[in-house]
Amino acid sequence: MSKKLKITSIDIYKSDIELKEPFKIAIMEISASQSVFIKINTNEGLYGFGEANPFWGITGETQAINLAGAAELAKLLLHKNPLNIEKMMREIDGFLVHNSTLRSAFDMALYDLLGKTAELPLYALLGGEKRTFWTDNTIGIGDPDYVAQKAVQYKNQGFQAIKVKLGTTNEMDIKRIRKVREAIGDDLPIRVDANQGWNYKTAVEVLNALEPMGVEYCEQPIAYWDYENLRRIRQNTSIAIMADESLFDHYDAFKLASMGCCDYFNIKLAKSGGIHTALKINAIAEGAGIICMVGCMMETRLGLTAAAHIVSARFNIKFADLDGYLMLKEDPIIGGAQYNIGKIDLPDTPGHGADVDPAFLKRCECITIK
Ligand code: MG
């Protein structure tokens, strides 16, 4: 059927969902999940859904920027065949450089359409199998006693790994992890993320102090651009180093791998510009002996479902940090990945399998490009 599939219109929705509590990391603080949903409609009635959840301090995008950019990208795609993703993404990536979060929403909607056309769930479309897996749960920057209390709460709920945001002062960061380890005992791995908050010296000092505390890995200790010092930090600690903000696309992946900067990659669709490039990053990682995690911003279950399919489809992706939705006050998604505490189960419906509740969409501002 679908050789003649054509994009007839694209709906752009502004979605605002409050968080259960404000979420603070070293470089920014948010109190709401502000997404842009992209719905690509076709002449055959099939549609694809994608989500952009911009973190301005990381990608330089805001919801307003994404809304404006989405209208421009939508015009570019009208009347074209959505199934030729290689060509579509070349046009999208070439037309609007940077803006990786917005580009990922279009990519996600295109893969949703491809899966629906092929009548395959996304993990199968990518040649993978369905794997059930766990996400960790993240605690934002806070007072060490509060962080420790949250860690106990997550442990008691059944989470298998706790991620703690750091990147403040040496003294407070070390105190946070010491308190968390004392509070939860030795069973669970602790993952830490400094979100660029340290410099080379601070990073080495804090990581050396954390070495006996059972830290599984440290994400992005220093500024995203400082590859040379990231490599030096890795040489001076036994804690594994994971690149996050330093890693957007496959070009970054190649440089980080070539320079020996890190042990792990944190792939996020919001940074890679979507699934198409995420798979390239994972392939480079696999060739370099680097293990991947798939992480998130503060997406709803729609964006997280797309990310979960990638985890399921690739053996080299061994960690998942897909907890954004757990922090939202509202879940407007129908279908999609189901969360049992932190255990994630994917749907078998074609495409990514997540839809946005029409009642929720009615409350969202919408523009249609046709
Ligand atoms: Mg991170």
Side-chain angles (χ1 to χ4, degrees):
M1 69 192 224
S2 299
K3 279 186 181 156
K4 289 180 183 159
L5 197 66
K6 291 272 182 289
I7 297 172
T8 50
S9 66
I10 296 179
D11 303 317
I12 302 162
Y13 295 94
K14 176 179 180 289
S15 160
D16 296 280
I17 300 174
E18 269 185 70
L19 302 189
K20 291 172 185 166
E21 54 187 275
F23 185 70
K24 190 174 180 205
I25 65 176
I27 49 171
M28 56 190 285
E29 182 170 0
I30 61 169
S31 56
S33 164
Q34 299 178 296
S35 287
V36 172
F37 287 115
I38 302 295
K39 186 179 176 216
I40 300 182
N41 302 296
T42 66
N43 57 334
E44 293 184 12
L46 289 177
Y47 60 85
F49 249 121
E51 177 178 10
N53 186 263
F55 265 39
W56 46 94
I58 294 174
T59 72
E61 296 162 87
T62 63
Q63 188 186 41
I65 290 170
N66 279 177
L67 286 167
E72 301 295 329
L73 276 180
K75 285 175 203 158
L76 181 77
L77 300 190
L78 279 183
H79 314 304
K80 291 181 178 163
N81 179 351
L83 303 185
N84 189 343
I85 291 186
E86 178 77 5
K87 189 173 172 190
M88 288 278 103
M89 289 316 296
R90 180 151 295 204
E91 289 196 26
I92 288 171
D93 295 345
F95 179 82
L96 193 64
V97 301
H98 308 302
N99 291 277
S100 54
T101 303
L102 179 63
R103 287 187 282 111
S104 79
F106 281 87
D107 163 284
M108 210 181 285
L110 293 171
Y111 275 96
D112 192 26
L113 266 170
L114 186 62
K116 283 171 173 167
T117 306
E119 299 182 346
L120 288 171
L122 186 50
Y123 68 81
L125 186 79
L126 301 175
E129 61 177 354
K130 183 151 92 169
R131 291 193 287 141
T132 305
F133 62 89
W134 280 82
T135 175
D136 56 26
N137 205 350
T138 304
I139 306 166
I141 287 178
D143 173 76
D145 287 316
Y146 167 82
V147 174
Q149 174 212 321
K150 281 294 249 196
V152 171
Q153 185 191 325
Y154 291 160
K155 183 193 173 185
N156 292 342
Q157 283 171 355
F159 282 95
Q160 311 280 298
I162 310 281
K163 174 168 157 180
V164 180
K165 290 291 193 180
L166 300 178
T168 61
T169 64
N170 293 23
E171 192 194 350
M172 289 298 277
D173 283 341
I174 293 164
K175 198 169 172 189
R176 283 186 183 98
I177 300 307
R178 187 179 294 131
K179 291 236 171 192
V180 168
R181 184 50 85 202
E182 280 168 11
I184 66 171
D186 291 333
D187 310 343
L188 300 188
I190 299 171
R191 302 165 176 179
V192 303
D193 186 354
N195 285 109
Q196 314 177 58
W198 298 325
N199 57 33
Y200 168 76
K201 188 167 171 286
T202 319
V204 172
E205 279 171 20
V206 177
L207 291 172
N208 287 345
L210 299 187
E211 277 171 13
M213 298 184 205
V215 171
E216 190 172 24
Y217 53 75
C218 173
E219 279 181 54
Q220 200 64 41
I222 54 170
Y224 70 91
W225 47 266
D226 197 354
Y227 282 25
E228 180 57 30
N229 277 320
L230 191 61
R231 187 180 65 81
R232 286 174 67 212
I233 290 168
R234 185 185 180 216
Q235 288 170 344
N236 285 291
T237 175
S238 63
I239 293 177
I241 299 297
M242 178 181 279
D244 184 358
E245 289 96 315
S246 290
L247 171 78
F248 272 56
D249 54 26
H250 49 310
Y251 307 112
D252 297 334
F254 181 73
K255 278 185 273 183
L256 288 163
S258 308
M259 287 177 63
C261 292
C262 57
D263 303 278
Y264 302 140
F265 282 166
N266 185 352
I267 299 173
K268 293 177 184 163
L269 299 182
K271 291 184 296 149
S272 69
I275 295 160
H276 187 251
T277 297
L279 297 174
K280 296 184 195 178
I281 296 172
N282 183 58
I284 289 170
E286 203 163 356
I290 290 172
I291 303 275
C292 292
M293 173 165 90
V294 170
C296 64
M297 299 300 189
M298 202 57 81
E299 293 90 343
T300 67
R301 247 175 354 93
L302 190 140
L304 297 183
T305 296
H309 278 283
I310 311 292
V311 179
S312 190
R314 290 293 181 271
F315 292 130
N316 192 54
I317 301 172
K318 299 210 191 294
F319 305 111
D321 178 27
L322 297 177
D323 54 4
Y325 136 81
L326 300 169
M327 301 179 196
L328 309 190
K329 269 192 184 166
E330 193 179 355
D331 177 12
I333 305 305
I334 297 169
Q338 300 301 309
Y339 282 65
N340 181 359
I341 313 295
K343 199 172 181 187
I344 296 176
D345 208 359
L346 282 165
D348 285 311
T349 36
H352 55 55
D355 226 318
V356 189
D357 184 351
F360 177 83
L361 288 178
K362 264 190 199 147
R363 285 163 34 202
C364 299
E365 285 171 36
C366 174
I367 56 166
T368 298
I369 303 296
K370 60 185 175 189

